[in-house]
Amino acid sequence: MNLTTPSLRGNNDFEEIRAFVEGPPPNAEHIALDAIVWKKVDRWILPLCSGFLLLSGINRNNIGNARIAGLQSTLGLSNHQYTVALTVTYIPFMFSELPSVWLLKHVGPNLMLPSMAILWGAVSASQGLVKSYSGLLACRFFVGLFQGGLVSGIILYLSSFYPRKILQTRVTAFFVSANLLLSFSGFLAAAINHLDGTSNKRGWAWIFLIEGLFTVVFGAITFFLLPCSPQKAHFFTEEERVYVISALKCSGSVSEREKEDHFSWTEATGSIRSPLVWLFIALSFFGGTLLYGLAYFTPSIIVGLGFTGNRAQLMSTPPFAATFILSLTASLISDRYQCRGGTAIFFSLLEVIGFAMFYVNKSNYVRYASLFFSVSGAVGVLPVISTWLAVNCAPHTRRATGIAATYIAGQLGGILSTWLLGYLSPAPEYTMATLTFISMSVGSIIISTVALVYLWRENRLKAEMRQVTTKEDEYEGLGDRSAWFVYSL
């Protein structure tokens, strides 16, 4: 038999694939298929998802680069007004989060994600034309509105293509690769700033115009590249498509009965009532506070260390670049040993070390070195948290609602960090902000430990239930509440 195109023979294959997903591989043909199909998804899906996240981050965070390039002085903004401009982005982002993820499956990711990119790219580019504070506020509002639900939607999209046991590596890959490239946005902004004066426009205006228009072009191209689902993915053969769909159902990534993945208010409200979701809401609030604080203010923090202009832009890149290898290595270990909670605790420890170094040492070089720890922890922990929740929530509506709720909490954290670093905690010491970040990092370690204990206890109760009942005796549509759904620790 040709192992590169093995055939699926019939109903027995479903149980064989289940055995392969949950335990040792049953036969060579499924091993061959497994090696082929996920690499195809990696090639076709991950780069596009990384592109969406990268351009989302660039168009949200480039206001920090524009500030260094003269935005604040040109428009005559006070520090308070600049902080308000940052905050305005978060509010519509939060309100559009839940409706966006609920609509994603109905509209189709292949239509919704590109449309969102075109809309926020156009608005972001228009920031280069603003002449007043009110114009800037309007643009920031609509950038947030059109980006709401993007990250949650991408995680849901990826969870519909990958089995639970290999999802974290892919979520981390798309997340940290985008953030790695995003770290070079300082280089890009420094290069674009050389256009200062061209066509009577300041360098900061060109930053908005070029990066926004590129996003519009990217969004238009992805209309023709992004598949809606595994069932409609053009890069699968029919045999590969059957295998992928079976593997997703066996792992619990999608429901065995399609109707269970349709929208349900019962599942949506059930997700919000779940103790596990509330633990992750707290984790995401802490994680969002740290991540958005560093994403927006790392260039300003570096300026406070005595580095200015383009040098400050360039020095903001290495801490984010260092995160790439560390996060991917940790995610591979997490998928290999299924240790989501331990990985989350590891990254939170890095945050504690980094912020503690910044607080206790007054050397500018030590403080710069501390960013390698704090940035690695803040960037690395969020894909772990997102994956940990995604693989432990089913069916689709419950997973979508839980992920969206955690990202709303992350945006609330972003608002807090914006005011902490932008207004309430003066540069260059950022004393109040640093102490808050240390407390939140310690809190993340505690909550992750509680989540681990909770999931371990639930798995033990489910194991006891499986001893006295059969799967056929269960009600349909239980999702992650089924005794046969084993939580990932």
Side-chain angles (χ1 to χ4, degrees), residues 216-292:
V216 172
V217 173
F218 177 84
I221 293 172
T222 55
F223 269 121
F224 304 98
L225 299 178
L226 200 68
C228 179
S229 64
Q231 290 90 335
K232 298 180 180 179
H234 59 86
F235 47 83
F236 286 143
T237 66
E238 189 57 34
E239 293 167 316
E240 292 166 352
R241 195 184 327 277
V242 171
Y243 178 82
V244 167
I245 294 169
S246 298
L248 292 170
K249 289 181 177 180
C250 291
S251 75
S253 297
V254 298
S255 298
E256 294 185 12
R257 289 170 288 274
E258 186 176 349
K259 66 178 182 179
E260 294 176 10
D261 280 334
H262 293 168
F263 178 80
S264 164
W265 281 111
T266 301
E267 295 296 348
T269 56
S271 179
I272 296 299
R273 293 196 302 267
S274 167
L276 181 65
V277 170
W278 279 100
L279 288 172
F280 280 89
I281 285 174
L283 281 174
S284 294
F285 175 71
F286 291 162
T289 304
L290 305 182
L291 176 65
Y292 289 117

Side-chain angles (χ1 to χ4, degrees), residues 43-299:
R43 288 195 300 267
W44 283 96
I45 302 297
L46 279 183
L48 297 178
C49 290
S50 297
F52 283 119
L53 184 62
L54 168 65
L55 294 172
S56 167
I58 285 177
N59 286 278
R60 288 184 72 186
N61 299 347
N62 59 9
I63 191 172
N65 298 123
R67 184 190 194 188
I68 294 176
L71 167 70
Q72 188 169 357
S73 59
T74 301
L75 297 184
L77 306 180
S78 66
N79 287 339
H80 179 271
Q81 288 176 316
Y82 175 77
T83 304
V84 170
L86 295 181
T87 306
V88 162
T89 309
Y90 291 106
I91 297 171
F93 193 107
M94 290 186 294
F95 280 104
S96 60
E97 184 80 22
L98 275 170
S100 179
V101 297
W102 286 339
L103 283 171
L104 184 72
K105 190 175 181 66
H106 179 71
V107 174
N110 59 317
L111 298 177
M112 192 162 178
L113 296 177
S115 298
M116 291 168 66
I118 290 172
L119 290 170
W120 91 61
V123 175
S124 182
S126 68
Q127 292 176 103
L129 306 176
V130 299
K131 304 295 184 182
S132 65
Y133 175 54
S134 59
L136 180 64
L137 289 182
C139 289
R140 298 301 298 175
F141 178 89
F142 284 103
V143 166
L145 180 68
F146 294 135
Q147 287 192 1
L150 176 76
V151 180
S152 303
I154 291 176
I155 292 172
L156 280 173
Y157 183 57
L158 291 176
S159 70
S160 71
F161 273 90
Y162 291 105
R164 295 166 65 210
K165 70 175 183 177
I166 62 172
L167 180 61
Q168 184 175 324
T169 300
R170 272 64 182 193
V171 171
T172 300
F174 109 86
F175 193 88
V176 300
S177 60
N179 277 279
L180 172 63
L181 294 173
L182 182 60
S183 70
F184 289 92
S185 65
F187 289 92
L188 178 60
I192 296 175
N193 196 36
H194 284 103
L195 294 174
D196 188 36
T198 303
S199 299
N200 295 318
K201 293 190 179 299
R202 293 294 308 275
W204 62 263
W206 283 113
I207 291 173
F208 287 131
L209 286 167
I210 291 175
E211 294 177 349
L213 291 175
F214 181 84
T215 302
V216 172
V217 173
F218 177 84
I221 293 172
T222 55
F223 269 121
F224 304 98
L225 299 178
L226 200 68
C228 179
S229 64
Q231 290 90 335
K232 298 180 180 179
H234 59 86
F235 47 83
F236 286 143
T237 66
E238 189 57 34
E239 293 167 316
E240 292 166 352
R241 195 184 327 277
V242 171
Y243 178 82
V244 167
I245 294 169
S246 298
L248 292 170
K249 289 181 177 180
C250 291
S251 75
S253 297
V254 298
S255 298
E256 294 185 12
R257 289 170 288 274
E258 186 176 349
K259 66 178 182 179
E260 294 176 10
D261 280 334
H262 293 168
F263 178 80
S264 164
W265 281 111
T266 301
E267 295 296 348
T269 56
S271 179
I272 296 299
R273 293 196 302 267
S274 167
L276 181 65
V277 170
W278 279 100
L279 288 172
F280 280 89
I281 285 174
L283 281 174
S284 294
F285 175 71
F286 291 162
T289 304
L290 305 182
L291 176 65
Y292 289 117
L294 292 172
Y296 276 126
F297 287 95
T298 292

